[in-house]
Amino acid sequence: MVRRPISGAAPLTTCLVIDDSPVIRKVATRILARAGVAVEEAATGAEGIAKLAATVPAVVLVAGTLSDMTGEDLVRRVRAMPNGAGVTILGMLVEANLGQMTRLKRAGCSGFVYKPFDRASLTACLAPHLPAVAEKAA
């Protein structure tokens, strides 16, 4: 399901949120939609891969740990896709775990977002990657 921006304007960009937690997906979707970003959600890595095969978002937010695969495995699979090289992938982590961060970076992760997040922390992490978020934050 695609959540369109609340503002009613055409979305400037898209984001795919892949996380087992419906609360994390809902909070991220609301924050991004208010910033003018179209958001798609996936509850598992397999669902996220299927959505990526159909569409190319500007940013993918992926949980460090999913029920069906590791975050690193998902990042590698996204990077191996024909359209995956140009996608910004941000890992969502609960803590600054250096080992997990290193594995995600080596797999191709562009950066990190720490959970739980609020509007200020999520927009600060996404502003460099999503023009719509940067414009709303300015």
Side-chain angles (χ1 to χ4, degrees):
M1 169 169 59
V2 177
R3 302 273 170 90
R4 295 291 173 203
I6 292 174
S7 65
L12 296 175
T13 191
T14 58
C15 180
L16 174 62
V17 180
I18 307 171
D19 198 298
D20 293 344
S21 169
V23 173
I24 292 294
R25 293 192 314 268
K26 182 178 182 179
V27 170
T29 297
R30 284 189 177 171
I31 291 169
L32 292 169
R34 288 184 189 274
V37 176
V39 182
E40 291 215 26
E41 300 177 18
T44 65
E47 186 181 340
I49 294 292
K51 288 189 182 230
L52 283 163
T55 185
V56 182
V59 174
V60 176
L61 296 176
V62 59
T65 305
L66 296 162
S67 60
D68 60 342
M69 66 181 70
T70 65
E72 303 93 71
D73 188 32
L74 179 62
V75 172
R76 277 189 210 93
R77 289 183 186 195
V78 172
R79 291 292 183 219
M81 297 175 84
N83 57 1
V87 175
T88 298
I89 304 172
L90 300 176
M92 295 187 291
L93 303 172
V94 177
E95 63 183 355
N97 179 321
L98 186 59
Q100 187 176 30
M101 292 170 77
T102 301
R103 289 189 300 277
L104 283 166
K105 275 291 222 187
R106 286 182 180 160
C109 201
S110 307
F112 304 99
V113 175
Y114 296 102
K115 302 186 288 189
F117 45 76
D118 58 12
R119 182 178 316 279
S121 62
L122 184 59
T123 55
C125 290
L126 290 175
H129 309 287
L130 292 172
V133 173
E135 288 173 11
K136 291 284 183 174

